[in-house]
Amino acid sequence: MGTDALLTKLQEAAGKDAVLTDPDVIDSYSRDMMPLAPSGRPLAVVKPADVEAVQAIVRACAAAKVPIVPRGAGSGLSGAANAIDGCVMLVMTKFDQVLEIDPGNRLAVVQPGVVNLDFRNAVEKHGLFYPPDPSSYDWCTIGGNLSTNAGGLCCVKYGVTTDAVLGLEIVLADGSLLKTGRRTVKGVAGYDLTKLFIGSEGTLGVITQATVALRPLPQAPGTLVAGFDHTEKAGEAVARVVREGLVPSLMEIMDASSIKAAEHYLKTDLGAGSDCQALLLCQSDSGGEAARRELAALEQICVDCGASMAYATDDLAEGRMLLQARRVVLTALEEYGVWLTDDVSVPRTRIAELIQACERISEEVGLRIAVVGHAGDGNMHPTIVYAPDSEDEFSRARKAFDDILAVGLSLGGTVTGEHGVGKIKKEWLEREIGPVGMRVHRQIKQALDPENLFNPGSMFSMT
């Protein structure tokens, strides 16, 4: 099948207006937010609106031997949704409906193009809560969250995306529709195919629907902020929180560089003091006296570990302001250059070692590196800042990126906690899981996508 014939088939499947070929338009869909990841020029961008259209598109591309790259909003940070030359970009943003909210069974059925925050707001009207909350939750889509198994600030208590998913609907490489999972609380019938597809980065199929578990809406959170003059003290506080069995709804850490950037951007003083090297932000959504006890216990741990400042509040506006400092760090760093954010997870007892290693790497490469992260689960985001017009600084930033991954592995960690492997960490995936792990990955891919139709070259190569 030639190009013109394929484009005709795509228009028949999705509608003429849903097939975009203008060079400027398709370029805007060719990559996500990760500057390191390579990207190519798509043949076309297609925006289907129903499952039958997706099935027809997949069959047409398979017949023409043209690869498909599924894509949501493009908020990803691994290049997993980046185009390759001549592919069809399958943009799922028209699948934007919350199909069902079932308060009695605490579940919902949602399409992949729904924005995370919109979904959270929709279920909140029923007194329910969808926990996964990536930092881009105001524009990232549920489908992208599913494809990368996204995390967020609430993971310490509520887990990542896969922990909230009951079942999926997926279009496979032959155009057939697979339904996985269940609507019940429990279920062990067959392999857990749902979890196989979550985090597969569009390499195994196209997710068209998800059934997710919801939780009762938490109480309004109380917030604790604690400053430390040594990173080791903050690390010990995190370790003690874990050892003593406390489970805050949020526990974030910021290093000195990220604190200064946030304060400058927000034009406010977080009260950490000029000698603060690390800031812990914790929240409890237990409500009432239970939350006050939890925050008091967290505050006491911080003080016992040498916090130079510790302050708890149940004022919602004040809590939002403190948390805003954490959420704006990446935006704040743009005042110093463009950024390249890493994503490594280490055992929670080794967070301080990672931050200290990032300080050393920063000195070695001569670039600013700011570290923020989800201290409650050990998922850190060292962010390297460099001049956008300097090839030398970009090269040094890339070296720092890889050096940080190496440190993460050496500390017993993983090269990605929530952003995914995509097109930038393929060699690191091989280093982490080894030859047997890679063989199993390739066997699964071969079984489900024998022609390597879906997102070829992302996550790993087939050879």
Side-chain angles (χ1 to χ4, degrees), residues 328-364:
V328 303
V329 168
L330 291 182
T331 303
L333 289 171
E334 290 176 358
E335 296 193 8
Y336 306 98
V338 295
W339 49 257
L340 174 61
T341 190
D342 219 325
D343 165 46
V344 296
S345 286
V346 296
R348 289 170 289 191
T349 54
R350 310 199 75 173
I351 289 172
E353 292 175 73
L354 179 68
I355 293 175
Q356 290 165 344
C358 289
E359 293 172 358
R360 172 181 55 78
I361 293 169
S362 175
E363 293 176 2
E364 290 173 355

Side-chain angles (χ1 to χ4, degrees), residues 265-380:
Y265 178 79
L266 294 172
K267 297 178 173 56
T268 188
D269 184 352
L270 297 177
S274 59
D275 64 341
C276 184
Q277 297 300 302
L279 195 72
L280 280 184
L281 285 162
C282 303
Q283 286 191 329
S284 170
D285 62 7
S286 299
E289 185 57 32
R292 283 187 285 274
R293 286 196 304 270
E294 193 167 44
L295 288 174
L298 291 166
E299 183 175 6
Q300 188 61 55
I301 287 173
C302 290
V303 171
D304 290 346
C305 291
S308 53
M309 177 274 292
Y311 173 69
T313 178
D314 57 8
D315 182 274
L316 288 179
E318 197 171 21
R320 278 194 294 266
M321 184 274 291
L322 291 169
L323 194 57
Q324 180 71 356
R326 162 63 182 90
R327 289 195 182 273
V328 303
V329 168
L330 291 182
T331 303
L333 289 171
E334 290 176 358
E335 296 193 8
Y336 306 98
V338 295
W339 49 257
L340 174 61
T341 190
D342 219 325
D343 165 46
V344 296
S345 286
V346 296
R348 289 170 289 191
T349 54
R350 310 199 75 173
I351 289 172
E353 292 175 73
L354 179 68
I355 293 175
Q356 290 165 344
C358 289
E359 293 172 358
R360 172 181 55 78
I361 293 169
S362 175
E363 293 176 2
E364 290 173 355
V365 300
L367 297 173
R368 181 192 301 263
I369 298 179
V371 183
V372 295
H374 315 310
D377 56 31
N379 188 192
M380 297 292 105

Side-chain angles (χ1 to χ4, degrees), residues 10-253:
L10 296 176
Q11 290 171 349
E12 291 172 355
K16 188 174 181 180
D17 293 341
V19 180
L20 311 176
T21 57
D22 179 270
D24 291 335
V25 173
I26 64 176
D27 280 350
S28 70
Y29 286 94
S30 66
R31 62 176 307 109
D32 65 12
M33 299 294 289
M34 168 48 72
L36 285 184
S39 63
R41 167 67 68 85
L43 168 69
V45 169
V46 185
K47 295 183 171 183
D50 57 55
V51 173
E52 291 76 18
V54 175
Q55 292 177 285
I57 291 164
V58 168
R59 291 185 180 116
C61 288
K65 299 189 183 305
V66 169
I68 294 172
V69 178
R71 175 192 159 100
S75 65
L77 289 163
S78 71
N82 283 12
I84 60 174
D85 286 335
C87 75
V88 166
M89 293 296 293
L90 191 62
V91 179
M92 298 296 288
T93 50
K94 285 187 177 180
F95 280 70
D96 59 357
Q97 299 299 306
V98 179
L99 300 174
E100 179 186 359
I101 298 174
D102 181 349
N105 289 301
R106 292 214 302 259
L107 62 81
V109 181
V110 61
Q111 291 185 317
V114 174
V115 171
N116 183 291
L117 182 58
D118 292 344
F119 181 50
R120 288 163 65 92
N121 289 338
V123 301
E124 186 174 329
K125 294 173 183 176
H126 297 265
L128 297 169
F129 174 52
Y130 179 68
D133 66 334
S135 293
S136 57
Y137 73 143
D138 55 345
W139 66 291
C140 67
T141 59
I142 297 296
N145 297 168
L146 293 164
S147 292
T148 58
N149 197 12
L153 276 64
C154 293
C155 295
V156 58
K157 185 172 183 177
Y158 296 109
V160 295
T161 296
T162 189
D163 299 306
V165 181
L166 296 171
L168 296 173
E169 184 181 270
I170 308 125
V171 175
L172 299 178
D174 62 357
S176 60
L177 190 65
L178 170 68
K179 296 184 179 181
T180 76
R182 63 196 192 279
R183 290 172 63 99
T184 55
V185 175
K186 296 171 66 178
V188 294
Y191 293 143
D192 192 344
L193 297 180
T194 301
K195 287 192 177 350
L196 174 63
F197 284 91
I198 298 171
S200 64
E201 300 182 13
T203 62
L204 299 178
V206 182
I207 297 171
T208 55
Q209 185 175 289
T211 301
V212 299
L214 305 173
R215 291 174 176 264
L217 189 66
Q219 299 293 312
T223 305
L224 166 75
V225 59
F228 299 84
D229 58 10
H230 290 288
T231 305
E232 297 96 325
K233 296 177 181 178
E236 175 58 24
V238 172
R240 279 196 55 185
V241 169
V242 175
R243 283 199 304 269
E244 296 190 17
L246 295 173
V247 186
S249 57
L250 175 149
M251 184 161 61
E252 297 289 298
I253 192 167

